[in-house]
Amino acid sequence: PTNLPQVENYSATARAVVPWNQHLITGGWKTPSGKIAFVLAVPKRGDDAGVVLIEAQVIEVSVETATKLGLDTLYTGEKESRLSTVLTSELSESLTKAASDTNDVAILDAPRLTILTGRQAQIASKKSK
């Protein structure tokens, strides 16, 4: 059918050393709602030695909240991002609290993947709001 919404692709490339259970954040794309979308990725030890579980969340944050948390520095206005940072545990907690307490942060998707340590990984989300 021709009445399907147009699909827009956004991508982020990040290369970082992320301590266990710390959040890597990347993205910073402006969404049609006027908010900013980010990807949070948290590496966790797998059940077997040499295995890493990456739990990700695609989140949408109001511009005001992104600015208040200092995340607006990741916003480029582009569809491709190469900016990323490792969040402090305090900032991760503030973001999680904002997600549960207000409508300023929405979780759009929560993909997960399991890989061997030292390997490259790719996380994709096909969900739309």
Side-chain angles (χ1 to χ4, degrees):
T2 58
N3 60 350
L4 293 176
Q6 181 179 349
V7 174
E8 293 191 32
N9 292 311
Y10 297 87
S11 68
T13 303
R15 188 176 187 104
V17 175
V18 183
W20 294 118
N21 299 316
Q22 292 289 313
H23 289 81
L24 173 77
I25 188 168
T26 188
W29 310 286
K30 188 87 167 215
T31 64
S33 67
K35 295 184 177 183
I36 303 174
F38 297 99
V39 175
L40 293 170
V42 181
K44 297 186 175 191
R45 286 185 174 91
D47 293 335
D48 298 327
V51 174
V52 177
L53 171 67
I54 299 177
E55 294 181 347
Q57 290 183 329
V58 179
I59 63 170
E60 188 178 53
V61 180
S62 70
V63 173
E64 296 79 21
T65 297
T67 302
K68 184 169 57 172
L69 296 174
L71 301 177
D72 56 326
T73 59
L74 294 173
Y75 174 65
T76 65
E78 303 293 325
K79 290 186 178 185
E80 294 182 23
S81 175
R82 294 199 179 277
L83 299 174
S84 65
T85 191
V86 176
L87 298 180
T88 64
S89 55
E90 294 82 17
L91 188 52
S92 295
E93 288 173 21
S94 294
L95 200 51
T96 303
K97 184 169 173 33
S100 63
D101 292 350
T102 70
N103 290 331
D104 289 344
V105 179
I107 299 170
L108 304 179
D109 197 10
R112 299 168 45 145
L113 71 100
T114 303
I115 60 167
L116 296 174
T117 46
R119 299 284 173 101
Q120 290 185 2
Q122 194 172 54
I123 297 174
S125 175
K126 302 266 186 205
K127 296 216 174 180
S128 61
K129 190 169 180 186

